[in-house]
Amino acid sequence: MSSIDQLIAGFRAFRVSNFEHRPELFEQLVSRGQAPEVLMIACSDSRVDPALLLNAQPGELFVVRNVANLVPPYEPDGRHHGTSAALEFAVRDLTVSHIVVLGHSRCGGMEALRNSALGERFDREFITPWVSIAQEACHCADAETLAGPDGARLVEQAALKVSLANLMTFPWVRDRVESGELQLHAWWFNLEKGELWAVTDDAEPPAPIA
Amino acid sequence: MSSIDQLIAGFRAFRVSNFEHRPELFEQLVSRGQAPEVLMIACSDSRVDPALLLNAQPGELFVVRNVANLVPPYEPDGRHHGTSAALEFAVRDLTVSHIVVLGHSRCGGMEALRNSALGERFDREFITPWVSIAQEACHCADAETLAGPDGARLVEQAALKVSLANLMTFPWVRDRVESGELQLHAWWFNLEKGELWAVTDDAEPPAPIA
Amino acid sequence: MSSIDQLIAGFRAFRVSNFEHRPELFEQLVSRGQAPEVLMIACSDSRVDPALLLNAQPGELFVVRNVANLVPPYEPDGRHHGTSAALEFAVRDLTVSHIVVLGHSRCGGMEALRNSALGERFDREFITPWVSIAQEACHCADAETLAGPDGARLVEQAALKVSLANLMTFPWVRDRVESGELQLHAWWFNLEKGELWAVTDDAEPPAPIA
Amino acid sequence: MSSIDQLIAGFRAFRVSNFEHRPELFEQLVSRGQAPEVLMIACSDSRVDPALLLNAQPGELFVVRNVANLVPPYEPDGRHHGTSAALEFAVRDLTVSHIVVLGHSRCGGMEALRNSALGERFDREFITPWVSIAQEACHCADAETLAGPDGARLVEQAALKVSLANLMTFPWVRDRVESGELQLHAWWFNLEKGELWAVTDDAEPPAPIA
């Protein structure tokens, strides 16, 4: 069976389960519309689907997925900003109560950024400028540490802090955070150990929460 | 339980299932790295998580999710292009065999675009320019049809064709499609009926496949 | 990991999912008690767990599982009758609305019975007398047919009719069936093809329903 | 949707998932036959399906379910003994390595037995003689304790010890246990707290294991 036939068969399983066997959830999601409380900004990596990772049901998470789960800074220049458009829709239209930026270990995008900071040539049309959003994350430690066994994790977690800071450059995010209507979170999923860490923008070091 | 506590509890359920009870899959996904065959470009809408919709397992789908599952045209200008970066990573680094653009009914982003084509003012900093990527989709029918009961579906499906066309503007996508290494697909999920439709860029009208 | 450690890890996954992540169902099943509408009489075979086969949730099915999903006749002699005790509890205490006898292809118990009807010696302390409950099922066809490619299915389905008939020998089953409060069903699951057949006690031949 | 239509829809979901989407498991379970390592003797209660409780897959557990998960003593009298027949099939034909007797809190069968020991009249054709298999469990404590808040748990767990002892009255069980080929386990599931306890036949008091 080809991977495409496999997906279509997978859809049939979903359809029978969710439209014939237990149709209530989708009937409600159609009639009431979506009303997720959480915007999840996650990586495109095939191993970190947020719904699977967090056992979430349809309707619970509004999700952006891009390379390395990055939030760019506020640049209202009329150009195409996919992540910022989703952020705007989630915050201003859906009025979510939480934004979670979800990073993970073994992130290929962050690895490219770290290698580039360590002097490796890395020259791609779109990936290079995109991951440069988190350039500053490579200043989190000296070159020796970056190159060492903890380097990847340090950069991945520092990049989460960059995204938290960038979120606050959007005026309608900052307003809602300051008024207490919106909370920002950054989590880092350790693929090897199955741990979930919280990363905050203050002095406290990142630590496992589950 | 708050929605955040709920997600953390959901992660614990995932962790016990996938790291304690049946650890083989993630052990392999860590040791061999990811090797998805499919890039899925889906909407951020909370009701259309691709892994849930297609019963896919971790490791099977490399996923971009943005508002209205749009692919912008090729613009290698050194700026931040999240969707294009993910596309580049999937095609050039992971060498996926398939790209699926996955649209759906009741799409808020497409609704905004359609309303704007029908004369409604729609002026958002990021959403407006973002969904304008599919502007041309609103030319798929006359205003009366667009405003009618089939209008939303027609625009949603025409926008999928725009994304298919935009994919072909990326030289390393076109090359691989022409050499037969890569196939492009567009699917449209009907939330009300639980149907999956195929949309192609040729003359054949869209039709249900599952 | 040993099969026992595997089961304990499986329990932990169940516990986190059903007591930490989504505790509502079990809270309700404890506070209100069980109230299943269906008694399922199924085989002990490891491949035919009714909850998995029918996508049922905890609380939906009161289940008896014995070798070959047999219902013995009414014998109120004060001895140990496990299946009859469960039947009595389901019908008189839980007042279920449906009894489903669920057979299946490749049934080892029925195979032993058929082989014995075909002259093979089959002499086990408990299995032999137990499966003899369905002895009459071997009269459903001549020896050549029984020995042929359809023999197993014919015996398995005829045995379901014996169980339906035996159910009606219990006075408090018959009463409720005749008053319309209780319905009896017999289903046969084809393991090879994934089909579900209905078997009725009337002249109509068994046929797939799903 | 009636409960029966609901089950048939549930079967369709199972069929599509296990025969169309991921057919490998059943193809193998058909071609190789079943080879479970564990015989599970569980209660008919709708809330304690072993496959759901232990996250087990088709093929992993050979299952007997009767009222109060009881094992009667060895009585090779040529009569109908459903539980003993399943035990014989599992031990002598499938040569399982483990037998787990799985009890639980809020057991209606054990409650009837305890009430009867406390003087309540309990006179059912089949349930009364059936649960009397565990009569001895009511001697585990004085009447005041039995009537108290721990009474139900004490009787439920003492009944598990009776079943462990009864298992050893079957010569082909005892032989295999003594030769180390077969291990016996008794577990008690606490429905209120989501805990799994181990009950042993020695002096050690029952205690949670998960």
Side-chain angles (χ1 to χ4, degrees):
Chain A
M1 188 151 57
S2 79
S3 50
I4 288 296
D5 290 341
Q6 174 85 358
L7 291 176
I8 294 172
F11 176 77
R12 279 201 298 271
F14 167 83
R15 177 178 54 74
V16 177
S17 291
N18 289 279
F19 287 83
E20 297 183 26
H21 185 219
R22 303 200 188 272
E24 302 77 16
L25 178 59
F26 267 85
E27 281 169 10
Q28 185 182 315
L29 288 174
V30 165
S31 65
R32 301 193 193 167
Q34 65 170 331
E37 290 181 36
V38 178
L39 162 62
M40 184 73 48
I41 298 169
C43 186
S44 294
D45 191 300
S46 63
R47 301 167 293 187
V48 298
D49 181 272
L52 300 184
L53 234 69
L54 303 165
N55 250 19
Q57 289 188 339
E60 293 184 345
L61 304 175
F62 189 81
V63 178
V64 173
R65 291 181 71 181
N66 60 39
V67 170
N69 45 274
L70 294 172
V71 179
Y74 179 65
E75 295 172 311
D77 55 14
R79 291 168 168 274
H80 303 147
H81 293 286
T83 297
S84 303
L87 180 61
E88 188 177 28
F89 193 75
V91 172
R92 300 179 75 183
D93 291 280
L94 300 172
T95 60
V96 296
S97 305
H98 300 273
I99 299 175
V100 179
V101 189
L102 177 62
H104 66 99
S105 65
R106 307 265 172 161
C107 180
M110 286 293 98
E111 187 64 7
L113 182 68
R114 182 169 69 111
N115 286 341
S116 139
L118 291 169
E120 196 173 281
R121 188 183 170 82
F122 172 59
D123 199 18
R124 281 288 170 80
E125 287 175 344
F126 298 102
I127 307 172
T128 305
W130 176 256
V131 298
S132 78
I133 289 171
Q135 193 71 54
E136 192 191 316
C138 294
H139 306 157
C140 71
D142 58 66
E144 200 179 318
T145 306
L146 274 197
D150 294 332
R153 175 173 53 79
L154 290 171
V155 171
E156 286 156 0
Q157 296 183 344
L160 289 170
K161 296 188 182 193
V162 173
S163 285
L164 288 178
N166 283 348
L167 280 172
M168 290 294 274
T169 64
F170 289 77
W172 24 265
V173 169
R174 169 176 287 275
D175 282 356
R176 280 171 176 74
V177 170
E178 289 176 351
S179 71
E181 295 161 277
L182 177 61
Q183 289 179 32
L184 309 185
H185 312 261
W187 293 346
W188 178 81
F189 168 50
N190 183 327
L191 275 174
E192 292 93 340
K193 299 194 177 171
E195 286 174 352
L196 191 68
W197 293 42
V199 176
T200 56
D201 52 8
D202 56 25
E204 228 168 316
I209 55 172
Chain B
M1 189 152 53
S2 80
S3 51
I4 288 296
D5 290 341
Q6 174 86 355
L7 291 175
I8 294 173
F11 175 77
R12 278 200 299 269
F14 167 82
R15 177 178 54 74
V16 176
S17 290
N18 289 278
F19 287 83
E20 296 182 28
H21 185 219
R22 304 201 189 272
E24 303 77 16
L25 177 60
F26 266 85
E27 281 168 10
Q28 185 183 312
L29 287 175
V30 165
S31 65
R32 303 194 192 165
Q34 65 170 329
E37 291 182 35
V38 178
L39 163 62
M40 184 71 48
I41 298 170
C43 185
S44 294
D45 191 300
S46 63
R47 299 167 295 187
V48 297
D49 181 273
L52 300 185
L53 236 68
L54 303 164
N55 250 17
Q57 288 189 339
E60 293 185 345
L61 304 174
F62 189 81
V63 179
V64 173
R65 291 181 71 182
N66 61 39
V67 170
N69 45 274
L70 295 171
V71 179
Y74 179 64
E75 296 172 310
D77 55 12
R79 290 168 168 273
H80 302 145
H81 294 285
T83 297
S84 303
L87 181 61
E88 188 176 30
F89 193 75
V91 173
R92 302 179 75 182
D93 291 280
L94 300 172
T95 61
V96 296
S97 305
H98 300 275
I99 299 176
V100 180
V101 189
L102 177 64
H104 65 100
S105 66
R106 307 266 169 160
C107 181
M110 286 293 97
E111 187 64 8
L113 182 68
R114 183 170 68 112
N115 287 340
S116 135
L118 291 169
E120 195 174 282
R121 188 185 169 80
F122 172 59
D123 197 21
R124 279 288 169 81
E125 287 175 344
F126 297 103
I127 306 173
T128 305
W130 176 254
V131 299
S132 78
I133 289 173
Q135 191 74 55
E136 191 192 317
C138 294
H139 306 156
C140 69
D142 57 65
E144 200 178 320
T145 306
L146 273 197
D150 294 331
R153 176 172 53 78
L154 291 172
V155 172
E156 286 155 1
Q157 296 183 345
L160 288 170
K161 296 189 184 194
V162 173
S163 284
L164 287 178
N166 284 348
L167 280 171
M168 290 295 274
T169 64
F170 290 77
W172 25 264
V173 169
R174 170 176 289 275
D175 283 355
R176 280 171 175 75
V177 169
E178 289 176 351
S179 70
E181 295 160 280
L182 177 61
Q183 289 178 32
L184 309 186
H185 312 261
W187 292 347
W188 178 80
F189 168 51
N190 183 327
L191 274 174
E192 291 93 342
K193 298 194 177 170
E195 287 174 352
L196 192 68
W197 293 43
V199 176
T200 57
D201 52 7
D202 57 26
E204 227 169 318
I209 55 173
Chain C
M1 187 150 56
S2 79
S3 51
I4 288 296
D5 289 341
Q6 175 86 356
L7 291 175
I8 295 173
F11 176 76
R12 278 201 297 269
F14 168 83
R15 177 178 53 75
V16 176
S17 289
N18 290 279
F19 287 84
E20 297 182 27
H21 185 219
R22 305 201 187 272
E24 301 76 16
L25 178 60
F26 266 86
E27 281 168 9
Q28 184 183 313
L29 287 174
V30 165
S31 65
R32 302 192 192 166
Q34 66 171 328
E37 291 181 36
V38 179
L39 162 62
M40 184 72 47
I41 298 169
C43 185
S44 295
D45 191 300
S46 62
R47 299 167 295 186
V48 298
D49 180 90
L52 299 185
L53 236 68
L54 303 165
N55 250 19
Q57 290 188 338
E60 293 185 346
L61 304 174
F62 190 80
V63 179
V64 173
R65 291 181 70 181
N66 61 39
V67 171
N69 46 274
L70 295 170
V71 179
Y74 180 65
E75 296 171 311
D77 56 12
R79 289 169 168 273
H80 302 146
H81 294 286
T83 297
S84 304
L87 181 61
E88 188 176 29
F89 193 75
V91 172
R92 301 179 75 182
D93 291 280
L94 299 173
T95 60
V96 296
S97 306
H98 300 274
I99 299 176
V100 180
V101 189
L102 178 63
H104 66 100
S105 65
R106 307 267 171 159
C107 181
M110 286 295 97
E111 187 65 8
L113 182 68
R114 181 169 70 111
N115 287 340
S116 138
L118 292 168
E120 196 173 282
R121 186 185 170 81
F122 172 60
D123 198 19
R124 280 288 170 80
E125 288 175 343
F126 298 101
I127 305 172
T128 304
W130 176 254
V131 298
S132 76
I133 289 172
Q135 192 72 55
E136 191 193 316
C138 294
H139 306 157
C140 68
D142 57 64
E144 200 179 318
T145 305
L146 273 197
D150 293 332
R153 176 172 53 81
L154 291 171
V155 172
E156 286 156 0
Q157 296 183 346
L160 288 171
K161 295 188 184 195
V162 173
S163 285
L164 287 178
N166 283 349
L167 280 172
M168 290 295 275
T169 64
F170 290 77
W172 24 265
V173 169
R174 168 176 290 275
D175 283 356
R176 280 171 175 75
V177 169
E178 290 177 350
S179 70
E181 294 160 279
L182 176 62
Q183 290 179 33
L184 308 186
H185 312 261
W187 293 346
W188 178 81
F189 168 51
N190 183 327
L191 274 175
E192 292 93 340
K193 300 193 176 172
E195 286 175 352
L196 192 68
W197 293 41
V199 176
T200 56
D201 52 7
D202 57 27
E204 227 169 317
I209 54 172
Chain D
M1 189 151 55
S2 79
S3 52
I4 287 297
D5 290 340
Q6 174 87 356
L7 291 175
I8 294 173
F11 176 76
R12 278 202 299 270
F14 168 82
R15 177 179 53 74
V16 177
S17 290
N18 289 278
F19 286 83
E20 297 183 27
H21 185 219
R22 305 200 188 273
E24 303 78 16
L25 178 59
F26 266 85
E27 280 168 11
Q28 184 183 315
L29 288 174
V30 165
S31 65
R32 303 194 192 165
Q34 66 170 330
E37 290 180 37
V38 178
L39 162 61
M40 183 73 46
I41 298 168
C43 185
S44 294
D45 191 300
S46 62
R47 300 167 294 187
V48 297
D49 180 272
L52 299 185
L53 236 68
L54 303 164
N55 250 19
Q57 290 189 336
E60 292 185 347
L61 304 174
F62 189 81
V63 178
V64 173
R65 291 180 72 179
N66 60 39
V67 170
N69 45 273
L70 294 171
V71 179
Y74 180 66
E75 294 172 312
D77 54 14
R79 291 167 168 273
H80 302 146
H81 294 285
T83 297
S84 303
L87 181 62
E88 188 177 29
F89 192 76
V91 172
R92 301 180 75 182
D93 290 280
L94 300 172
T95 60
V96 296
S97 305
H98 300 275
I99 298 175
V100 179
V101 189
L102 177 63
H104 65 99
S105 65
R106 306 266 171 160
C107 181
M110 285 295 97
E111 187 65 8
L113 182 68
R114 182 169 69 112
N115 287 340
S116 137
L118 291 169
E120 196 173 282
R121 187 185 171 81
F122 172 60
D123 198 18
R124 280 288 169 80
E125 286 175 344
F126 298 102
I127 305 171
T128 305
W130 175 255
V131 299
S132 77
I133 290 172
Q135 192 73 56
E136 191 192 316
C138 295
H139 307 156
C140 69
D142 57 66
E144 200 180 318
T145 305
L146 274 197
D150 294 332
R153 175 171 54 80
L154 290 172
V155 171
E156 286 157 359
Q157 296 184 344
L160 288 170
K161 296 189 182 194
V162 173
S163 285
L164 287 177
N166 283 349
L167 280 172
M168 291 294 276
T169 64
F170 291 76
W172 25 264
V173 169
R174 168 176 290 275
D175 283 355
R176 280 171 175 75
V177 169
E178 289 176 351
S179 70
E181 294 160 279
L182 178 61
Q183 289 178 32
L184 309 184
H185 312 262
W187 293 346
W188 178 80
F189 168 50
N190 182 328
L191 275 174
E192 291 92 341
K193 298 193 177 173
E195 286 175 351
L196 192 67
W197 293 41
V199 176
T200 57
D201 53 7
D202 56 26
E204 227 169 317
I209 56 172

